[in-house]
Amino acid sequence: MRVITFGTFDLFHIGHLNILRRAKELGNHLIVGVSTDALNFSKKSYYPVYNEEDRLQIVQAIQYVDEAFYEESLEKKRDYIIQHAADILVMGDDWQGKFDFVSDVCKVVYLPRTEGISTSGLRKDHL
Ligand code: CTP
C-alpha cells in the first residue's frame, strides 16, 4: 500500500516524527508532500523558520519516508494523490473531515495529533 501525507514540517518535532511513523505503518511506501514557502505564506502570512529546501531534506532523511516532493498548491491534493498512485491519504485529526472530498480516489485516514507540541507553539515560546 502506498501512503501519502502533507505538511509544512517546520522546526521538525516529535509530533511530526510520530505521524510519519504511524502513516508508514499503514502501508509499505510513504510519500510526503512538503509545502513550499510560498504556499505557507499564502495560508498564514508568514514564512516558515526553515526554508523549503531544508524542510524537504529533513523529511527525506526520516527513515519512514520513501519519497518527498514540494506541495505547491492546496487545490492540487487530488492531482498529487493520483500522480503518486497513493492508496491512502493520512492527515492529522486537526483536519478531520476536510479531505473527505478525495475519498473517491483513495482511502482517507485521520490520525490523532501528538498532544502538547506544535510548530506554532514552538515559535511562540522559543523564538
Ligand atoms: N502533527 C501531529 N501532531 C502534532 C503536530 C503536527 O500529528 N503535535 C501532524 C499534523 O496533523 C500534520 C503533520 O503533523 O498532519 C504536519 O503538521 P504541520 O502543520 O507541519 O505542523 P504543526 O506543528 O501542526 O504546525 P502549526 O502549529 O504551524 O500548525
Side-chain angles (χ1 to χ4, degrees):
M1 285 289 212
R2 294 169 63 84
V3 183
I4 194 166
T5 193
F6 296 88
T8 306
F9 301 99
D10 189 25
L11 303 177
F12 196 94
H13 59 66
I14 193 69
H16 295 150
L17 191 65
N18 286 338
I19 198 154
L20 295 177
R21 188 187 63 253
R22 289 179 295 164
K24 179 63 174 272
E25 284 167 4
L26 297 177
N28 50 22
H29 190 89
L30 178 61
I31 306 147
V32 183
V34 175
S35 55
T36 58
D37 294 339
L39 176 55
N40 277 280
F41 190 82
S42 73
K43 270 195 305 193
K44 297 185 175 172
S45 303
Y46 57 79
Y47 285 104
V49 177
Y50 298 161
N51 66 40
E52 62 195 27
E53 289 87 6
D54 291 359
R55 290 184 289 106
L56 188 79
Q57 280 194 57
I58 291 165
V59 168
Q60 267 169 344
I62 300 298
Q63 62 174 320
Y64 313 119
V65 175
D66 296 287
E67 24 173 337
F69 68 95
Y70 289 123
E71 179 192 23
E72 289 176 336
S73 160
L74 294 178
E75 286 73 46
K76 288 199 201 154
K77 278 253 167 18
R78 173 188 296 274
D79 298 339
Y80 293 132
I81 292 165
I82 293 168
Q83 273 165 26
H84 290 92
D87 304 295
I88 305 172
L89 169 65
V90 168
M91 297 298 294
D93 63 2
D94 44 326
W95 295 98
Q96 189 68 47
K98 300 238 170 64
F99 288 94
D100 292 356
F101 71 94
V102 297
S103 56
D104 56 327
V105 289
C106 68
K107 187 175 169 189
V108 183
V109 175
Y110 302 95
L111 294 177
R113 280 170 69 91
T114 302
E115 296 284 312
I117 191 156
S118 67
T119 300
S120 45
L122 291 170
R123 282 180 72 119
K124 189 160 65 67
D125 296 343
H126 298 281
L127 298 179

